[in-house]
Amino acid sequence: MSATPQKNRASRRVLAAAAGLATVGALVAAMPAGAQGHGKGHDHHTPARTVDVQLLSFNDLHGNLEPPAGSAGSVTEKQADGTTKAVPAGGVEYLASSLRAARKGHPYSITAAGGDMVGASPLLSGLFHDEPTIEALNKIDLDVTTVGNHEFDEGATELARLQNGGCHPVEGCYEQGKKFKGADFPYLAANVTDEKTGKPILKPYTVWKKNGVKIGFIGVTLEGTPNIVTANGVKGLKFHDEIETVNKYAKELDRQGVKSIVALIHEGGAPASSSYNYDCDSPAAGDGISGPITDIAKGISPKVDALVTGHTHQAYVCTIPDPAGNPRLVTSASSFGKLYTDTTLTYDRRTKDIVRTAVKGSAKTSPKHPAPANPVSANHIVTRDQAKATDMTALIARWNTLAAPIANRPQGFISADINGRGSTAPEKPLGNLIADAQLEGLAPADKGGAVVAFMNPGGIRADLVYTASGSEGDGVVTYGESFTVQPFTNMMNVVDLTGAQLVAALQQQVSGSNEASPKILQISKGLTYTLDMTKAGADRVVADTIRLNGEAIDPAASYRVAMNEFLAGGGDGFAALGAGTNKLVGASDLDLFNAYLAAHSTASAPLAPPATDRITVVQ
């Protein structure tokens, strides 16, 4: 599912302290110079006409420094016999080892990322405003990344700090005598401009150079970022069309003599299979992928040679024809550092461009002279059976020592895994648990008088896993684990909605901007209805089946509804939820979740996964 961001834990304080976007204008001037190649020296003989440039890429790391727990920490691999198996993957100790091993023997190697490096991060990174992740990416030798929507969770001023360094404006420096240095790679944001100046808030592009080889990188996030980030996170910013922006800067790079261009786009697609090694060019180029990236790819100028994408947390290496009808590579490497993409770009020194031929042997070839697929690209698993990168192990240990007093506090007990992020069902066990916690905490008259609660599915960032993550023991839920599930620390709201608005909100799950990719709200106990996916649009919600505590919804009646501030602001396409009145602001979602765990579980009577019987799904 696509990431559904909200506000990170301290953004309220950050924004209050930062007083608007004053630092944003200084961003471009303070950016690092164009990323250079890692190697030194020059050729002492006439160079060959072409040179192979290795492009390593990944996306949607979300501050997952340690291997993700449970189902979120594996990738699906299709076997030769057609069956699939789950392979444990991810963690920066292994990602660093994989990338370093892949670079060996490649004098021309670039590492790029497709956005959402930070935000919605586990406690180890999120507690420290993602400074640990930026430090890890510096050590990994990331050359460039685009911004994703999550880079805006704490607003543009905090994004500027992640780029330029300096200690947190409220919480200060986390380690005595150490000042946060910021990212030593450029964050690109070509389609994000300051409302007042009209200028990009970060560099729109950068050019990688080595021994006369020049490759330009343009970075954009999805135009719809304001719909999936809280209003404070995008205050004072404008987000522009991805195709128009990339084409504008591709033309500019071309005029500068940079003919080889890669677009880093934080928007993605949905392959027809969840297996990372699925062939999405079968039966023909791009046939096995759908979603927003397909139209974007078809609209981006042929001047761009490859697209590194993200956002949907899917794995694919596809070719989608460019507007001139030529095959062009579009890649994504799942999420959380579980995969990386290795692409060979053949650079022609005479034309200064990437050689693009038909992919996967579809060119006219003779048996004696088969044309290789070019560019050549594949996704690779970041396996956990390889040696760990010792510098990453040390980094994790250092920050874990700082986090331990908070992270290790027990919050409650569970009897088995309670799946959230790892569940592909519309109704998720962990979604029910979270919604019930919100309803219970906000039902008392003095807390808001809520009769029903809604939780957005993308806000559930992990599973609750029974197996111990540290020394706490199996079944113990620590603060670190509950934070990883709900890392945004959104404040809860209780509002008045009419019955008609409540029904409209349920219909907006599967219509309007959510029709192509439904966002099914997680609902508290007492609310039931039928979801008929054989129908289209709003009709998928069977209106006469909606019941609250056994009674039909009265369109004219008023209901007190609990939800986080992201949904209460109309986020994720839920305009009906944004129309609430008589708002009462309650505790944070995380505080309510932890209070519910404490009230409903003990070591001898742990909490069992709740039944998923609130939404009847017709397929």
Side-chain angles (χ1 to χ4, degrees):
M1 297 296 291
S2 69
T4 306
Q6 302 134 329
K7 186 178 300 179
N8 214 341
R9 42 184 296 282
S11 57
R12 208 162 287 97
R13 286 169 288 154
V14 173
L15 286 154
L21 295 167
T23 63
V24 175
L27 270 169
V28 176
M31 291 292 294
Q36 302 296 321
H38 295 296
K40 294 177 181 174
H42 295 272
D43 296 331
H44 295 291
H45 53 84
T46 305
R49 163 90 186 251
T50 61
V51 57
D52 282 347
V53 178
Q54 179 187 54
L55 174 62
L56 301 174
S57 56
F58 58 98
N59 52 277
D60 296 277
L61 181 64
H62 291 289
N64 279 266
L65 301 178
E66 296 176 295
S71 58
S74 65
V75 294
T76 304
E77 182 178 61
K78 186 179 177 185
Q79 306 299 295
D81 63 0
T83 60
T84 60
K85 77 170 182 177
V87 182
V92 293
E93 294 162 296
Y94 304 110
L95 179 61
S97 291
S98 289
L99 294 174
R100 288 164 184 169
R103 288 180 192 134
K104 285 178 181 164
H106 294 276
Y108 295 83
S109 183
I110 313 167
T111 303
D116 277 6
M117 294 296 97
V118 300
S121 305
L123 188 82
L124 177 60
S125 188
L127 186 63
F128 305 107
H129 296 276
D130 283 311
E131 289 181 23
T133 296
I134 298 296
E135 185 185 339
L137 292 171
N138 287 345
K139 288 178 184 290
I140 281 176
D141 286 330
L142 183 63
D143 286 301
V144 57
T145 183
T146 184
V147 294
N149 49 283
H150 278 278
E151 266 81 14
F152 295 93
D153 283 351
E154 293 193 41
T157 306
E158 174 64 1
L159 174 56
R161 187 183 76 88
L162 290 181
Q163 177 71 83
N164 301 323
C167 296
H168 193 272
V170 175
E171 296 178 19
C173 300
Y174 294 113
E175 295 178 286
Q176 200 170 353
K178 273 192 181 179
K179 183 182 169 188
F180 175 57
K181 291 189 173 77
D184 64 11
F185 50 89
Y187 256 114
L188 304 180
N191 68 330
V192 188
T193 57
D194 184 321
E195 269 181 356
K196 290 195 179 109
T197 67
K199 292 181 177 170
I201 63 160
L202 292 161
K203 287 177 68 168
Y205 59 80
T206 190
V207 180
W208 182 94
K209 302 171 186 169
K210 184 178 178 183
N211 296 348
V213 174
K214 290 193 285 190
I215 298 180
F217 289 85
I218 303 166
V220 295
T221 184
L222 68 153
E223 184 183 7
T225 291
N227 303 326
I228 53 175
V229 176
T230 49
N232 273 340
V234 294
K235 196 174 180 180
L237 305 179
K238 279 191 83 170
F239 291 77
H240 303 269
D241 181 81
E242 305 95 338
I243 297 171
E244 288 173 17
T245 305
V246 172
N247 289 353
K248 170 186 166 182
Y249 288 110
K251 203 177 281 182
E252 192 171 308
L253 282 166
D254 186 61
R255 280 199 302 268
Q256 294 173 18
V258 179
K259 307 293 184 185
S260 299
I261 302 171
V262 175
L264 307 175
I265 303 177
H266 191 71
E267 179 60 291
S273 164
S274 60
S275 297
Y276 86 93
N277 52 345
Y278 161 72
D279 180 4
C280 55
D281 282 338
S282 175
D287 279 356
I289 188 167
S290 59
I293 200 63
T294 56
D295 286 337
I296 291 171
K298 287 170 185 170
I300 283 180
S301 163
K303 293 183 194 304
V304 175
D305 299 294
L307 277 57
V308 171
T309 73
H311 187 56
T312 56
H313 292 204
Q314 302 298 309
Y316 47 84
V317 174
C318 301
T319 48
I320 298 174
D322 69 16
N326 296 318
R328 181 168 55 194
L329 201 60
V330 180
T331 71
S332 175
S334 184
S335 63
F336 302 169
K338 294 182 289 190
L339 297 176
Y340 71 92
T341 314
D342 189 337
T343 302
T344 302
L345 302 170
T346 301
Y347 181 91
D348 187 323
R349 289 183 181 275
R350 194 178 303 165
T351 64
K352 299 180 183 173
D353 208 349
I354 301 300
V355 180
R356 277 205 276 144
T357 59
V359 179
K360 298 185 180 169
S362 57
K364 290 177 183 173
T365 60
S366 70
K368 286 185 181 176
H369 303 286
N374 188 64
V376 178
S377 184
N379 274 326
H380 301 277
I381 301 179
V382 175
T383 60
R384 297 188 203 161
D385 56 5
Q386 62 184 310
K388 296 178 182 181
T390 54
D391 58 339
M392 294 296 155
T393 305
L395 181 150
I396 289 169
R398 203 178 87 237
W399 287 102
N400 260 333
T401 300
L402 289 173
I406 295 170
N408 296 338
R409 289 203 307 255
Q411 303 299 311
F413 304 86
I414 56 174
S415 63
D417 288 359
I418 304 180
N419 284 342
R421 193 79 187 175
S423 168
T424 56
E427 181 185 352
K428 307 170 193 308
L430 190 49
N432 287 357
L433 180 62
I434 290 169
D436 288 350
Q438 293 176 353
L439 177 61
E440 182 171 293
L442 300 171
D446 62 334
K447 304 290 187 195
V451 296
V452 65
F454 291 134
M455 174 63 189
N456 56 311
I460 306 168
R461 305 303 301 183
D463 302 333
L464 276 186
V465 178
Y466 177 78
T467 303
S469 59
S471 58
E472 76 274 12
D474 289 349
V476 179
V477 179
T478 64
Y479 184 86
E481 290 165 342
S482 62
F483 181 98
T484 298
V485 167
Q486 292 197 96
F488 303 103
T489 314
N490 270 295
M491 303 312 290
M492 291 300 299
N493 291 181
V494 185
V495 299
D496 284 348
L497 289 177
T498 64
Q501 289 170 324
L502 205 152
V503 171
L506 292 175
Q507 291 172 331
Q508 284 165 0
Q509 301 175 109
V510 288
S511 62
S513 60
N514 293 329
E515 180 160 6
S517 182
K519 289 191 171 76
I520 306 302
L521 294 164
Q522 306 298 287
I523 54 178
S524 55
K525 62 187 173 190
L527 183 64
T528 56
Y529 69 95
T530 296
L531 188 65
D532 187 349
M533 297 306 288
T534 66
K535 295 181 178 171
D539 290 342
R540 290 166 167 174
V541 173
V542 184
D544 61 8
T545 65
I546 304 171
R547 297 281 184 277
L548 182 58
N549 300 320
E551 294 185 8
I553 300 292
D554 178 353
S558 181
Y559 296 85
R560 293 292 281 166
V561 183
M563 65 194 92
N564 60 45
E565 61 192 324
F566 170 68
L567 282 177
D572 263 358
F574 290 102
L577 297 182
T581 57
N582 297 326
K583 178 168 76 174
L584 183 142
V585 178
S588 76
D589 51 9
L590 182 61
D591 286 347
L592 291 181
F593 186 52
N594 285 333
Y596 188 88
L597 290 171
H600 291 272
S601 67
T602 62
S604 58
L607 196 64
T612 50
D613 54 5
R614 300 169 191 183
I615 305 172
T616 301
V617 182
V618 178
Q619 297 283 13

